[in-house]
Amino acid sequence: MSPIATPPAGWEADAARAVARGEKLDRFIPGVLLDSPISRLGYWYGSTVGWVWGSIWSTGRVTKQQGLWVFRGMPSWTYGRGGTCVGGCFLTGDGAITPRLLQHEAVHKRQWQRYGFLMPVLYLLAGRNPLRNRFEIAAGLEDGNYVPRTTAARPTR
């Protein structure tokens, strides 16, 4: 994924509001569903789906990096944007995988562990715009290569 060359003015404030909205939404989720055996089950289910999908479509070497199973060489239609984290699996094509990108994806893995089965639904509700998606913001927009590293402000991480 190439960074947005010039993010729109005010994107930092929009990002902060998106994170705040997400925190409000989390208050309505029963505690038994967050960081619990139930969410862990959802994480393992997601990881199984990621493993199966990655095993079918990956043409590259499968490695374990920063706690993630990385499936490379996948056709671009099999994952979103520059790559997709499903449970503990990072599904991607042939682009560069940097330590910062892996750090970004490791945050998504932790999100899967926290939210489990809710993760795909909450992610969809957060929207496709990474500058307003609380999960992408929390994982680090710069590390995910959504905004250039030269930005002065960095919203909540």
Side-chain angles (χ1 to χ4, degrees):
M1 160 127 299
S2 296
I4 299 168
T6 306
W11 75 267
E12 294 98 338
D14 288 344
R17 281 191 295 277
V19 170
R21 274 193 311 272
E23 289 170 352
K24 280 183 185 177
L25 177 63
D26 283 358
R27 286 185 244 163
F28 293 100
I29 300 172
V32 70
L33 297 178
L34 301 175
D35 281 325
S36 69
I38 294 171
S39 66
R40 202 45 78 122
L41 182 63
Y43 163 76
W44 284 111
Y45 176 79
S47 294
T48 301
V49 169
W51 254 99
V52 170
W53 192 248
S55 296
I56 291 170
W57 297 108
S58 177
T59 60
R61 192 164 170 228
V62 178
T63 59
K64 185 138 191 193
Q65 300 178 55
Q66 291 192 24
L68 291 161
W69 289 102
V70 179
F71 291 83
R72 307 255 347 223
M74 296 186 63
S76 62
W77 61 268
T78 63
Y79 59 89
R81 297 186 180 136
T84 300
C85 183
V86 182
C89 302
F90 178 47
L91 312 171
T92 190
D94 293 321
I97 297 179
T98 65
R100 289 189 174 199
L101 177 59
L102 288 172
Q103 180 179 323
H104 174 92
E105 297 304 330
V107 173
H108 289 317
K109 173 186 172 183
R110 174 67 191 111
Q111 292 165 343
W112 268 93
Q113 290 169 332
R114 176 168 170 72
Y115 295 101
F117 292 112
L118 296 175
M119 182 62 186
V121 174
L122 293 172
Y123 191 94
L124 283 173
L125 289 174
R128 296 261 318 140
N129 181 347
L131 302 181
R132 293 184 178 179
N133 181 305
R134 69 177 174 133
F135 297 103
E136 295 301 342
I137 296 162
L141 294 171
E142 292 172 338
D143 291 343
N145 202 25
Y146 289 111
V147 296
R149 195 154 293 283
T150 58
T151 56
R154 181 180 215 157
T156 307
R157 181 148 177 163

